[in-house]
Amino acid sequence: MTEPPKRLERSDMDAAAIVHRTSFAERLPWLAGLHTPEEDRAYFRSAVFDECEVWGTFDEPALTGFIAFRAGWIDQLYVLPAYQGRGIGSSLLEVAQARHSELSLWTFQRNAIARRFYERQGFVAAELTDGVRNEEREPDIRYVWRRP
């Protein structure tokens, strides 16, 4: 049984990087392998945990999903594929929504599962790009959510 979200600590960085890599590879296989596992861990050490509030869910002892957010932005939201569809993503999103009245995020246009999830959560498409400005060179979409 997955536990309610709790704030992650630096000791959870490697587990978060693994959840990110596993979820990314499963849902976006055409982009898998862009970074090495060590590059992922370095990014989580130098950016994600320094710049964001990071919360996660556990099926003890394993991290099953996490969200990284800062003022006005969700930078990361990943749930292990085996745990998707159980409300984990929604419970993580609620943590950020409780702390901010407006949130934006980017997802790839081809990620239909993520797009449906965000739209069900009240996010509205605000901008489409051709991907020329992102590292993956993949067309993306910016979503915005505002507290009613």
Side-chain angles (χ1 to χ4, degrees), residues 58-80:
F58 289 84
D59 188 356
E60 287 298 338
L63 182 68
T64 58
F66 75 93
I67 187 169
F69 59 91
R70 54 194 162 88
W73 283 94
I74 295 174
D75 290 16
Q76 312 273 331
L77 175 55
Y78 289 95
V79 176
L80 288 173

Side-chain angles (χ1 to χ4, degrees), residues 119-141:
E119 289 167 7
R120 281 193 314 269
Q121 304 300 321
F123 283 78
V124 177
E127 178 182 4
L128 295 169
T129 79
D130 59 8
V132 87
R133 292 181 296 169
N134 66 47
E135 178 182 34
E136 298 84 359
R137 301 291 183 250
E138 179 74 19
D140 55 7
I141 183 168

Side-chain angles (χ1 to χ4, degrees), residues 15-102:
I18 291 168
V19 169
H20 171 263
R21 174 172 279 275
T22 302
S23 301
F24 200 88
E26 172 82 17
R27 294 292 181 228
L28 308 167
W30 61 91
L31 296 174
L34 187 63
H35 296 285
T36 67
E38 181 50 44
E39 288 171 330
D40 289 346
R41 287 189 299 274
Y43 175 68
F44 275 78
R45 276 192 305 273
S46 67
V48 176
F49 275 76
D50 282 349
E51 299 170 8
C52 297
E53 191 171 330
V54 185
W55 287 68
T57 56
F58 289 84
D59 188 356
E60 287 298 338
L63 182 68
T64 58
F66 75 93
I67 187 169
F69 59 91
R70 54 194 162 88
W73 283 94
I74 295 174
D75 290 16
Q76 312 273 331
L77 175 55
Y78 289 95
V79 176
L80 288 173
Y83 287 85
Q84 292 176 6
R86 299 183 189 185
I88 294 170
S90 297
S91 69
L92 290 166
L93 194 55
E94 287 170 4
V95 173
Q97 290 173 320
R99 286 162 173 68
H100 301 283
S101 60
E102 183 173 314

